[in-house]
Amino acid sequence: MKLDEFDRQIMDMLQKNARITIKEMAAVLTLSATPIFERIKRLEKNGLIDKYVALLNADLLGYKMVAFVQISLSQHNLKEVTAFVDRITVFPEVMECYHTTGDSDFLLKILVKDMDQFNDFILNKLSNIENLGKVKTQFALSTRKRTTEIDL
Amino acid sequence: MKLDEFDRQIMDMLQKNARITIKEMAAVLTLSATPIFERIKRLEKNGLIDKYVALLNADLLGYKMVAFVQISLSQHNLKEVTAFVDRITVFPEVMECYHTTGDSDFLLKILVKDMDQFNDFILNKLSNIENLGKVKTQFALSTRKRTTEIDL
DNA sequence: TGTGAAATGAGGCTCAC
DNA sequence: GTGAGCCTCATTTCACA
């Protein structure tokens, strides 16, 4: 799909603030409401705009701990890898899961309330999955940047 | 701030779809529009709802590469750490930056279009920062899960 | 084919109870 | 917490370039 400068600006405004009104966008872009509306619908239809979400404050909700878990599997064929992914991604603690290059096979980003919940995740959820090799955890002392905004 | 089951359900619906209407929420919760509206405003005011954003499809925008960069600093005092954070977080390629435990000091999540852009980031942006120790990169072969939804 | 102006309807928001 | 009503904005229609 071909994108022009208007499309990019519309996406950029929406990814910074999904509650911006079409009128407000019209004031910035020199364009009236209708074409902006139609461009948004087109961007949604083509999947460039994936979804609109509210971002919650994890800290205020008691989620105080972010951990990165590097995992090596003992078997690396397609079937084993798929089985692992299917089992690990259902856990709500798993915010992100990447199949990676390097020493380990997978990198998980885990969000939990405290060490107790992390411990429970490792012992009662992760460890029940077969085919696990090495597991190495790294904790976040602090989050210094976290954005969903793509550079346009 | 005290949260009840209604608050949690409202946040959960909004973090899944920020475009849901108050009427639709009212149909699910057995509650009329006004109290839902007031609860949302209260959640926003207290910071539990941080912001509303559109999530864009990075792949369709040409951003094909996710990398994780582990960085050790050669100096670890507060001043040096802060200086590093201030310099690294301004780059749009840096989607996330965590100060971490473990072998390295920082973990960056980098989003770029291709290897050229990654190379440019490493050589012309990251490498210009003083105080760098070891840098170790891991690429994502594929993203198997990625969510902004917190378990409520 | 794509834009701007005007009409319509739905939903956010306020108020009295 | 409920229901009525205002009012803005999203959405549609249509004329025009």
Side-chain angles (χ1 to χ4, degrees), chain A residues 63 89 99 141 144-145 151, chain B residues 63 89 97 99 141 145 151:
Chain A
Y63 284 85
T89 52
H99 192 187
L141 297 167
R144 297 311 182 91
K145 180 175 182 178
D151 189 35
Chain B
Y63 284 84
T89 52
C97 173
H99 192 190
L141 297 167
K145 179 175 183 177
D151 188 36

Side-chain angles (χ1 to χ4, degrees), chain B residues 3 5 19 25 28 76 80 85 102 135 146-147:
Chain B
L3 300 171
E5 196 49 38
R19 287 294 167 92
M25 290 195 247
V28 177
H76 295 79
E80 302 293 338
V85 169
V135 175
R146 168 161 160 65
T147 184

Side-chain angles (χ1 to χ4, degrees), chain B residues 83-112:
Chain B
F84 172 78
V85 169
D86 289 346
R87 293 201 58 183
I88 199 72
T89 52
V90 298
F91 298 124
E93 295 94 335
V94 178
M95 301 297 283
E96 306 182 23
C97 173
Y98 301 91
H99 192 190
T100 62
T101 65
D103 297 336
S104 54
D105 296 316
F106 286 92
L107 176 58
L108 307 181
K109 178 173 157 194
I110 305 295
L111 178 67
V112 286

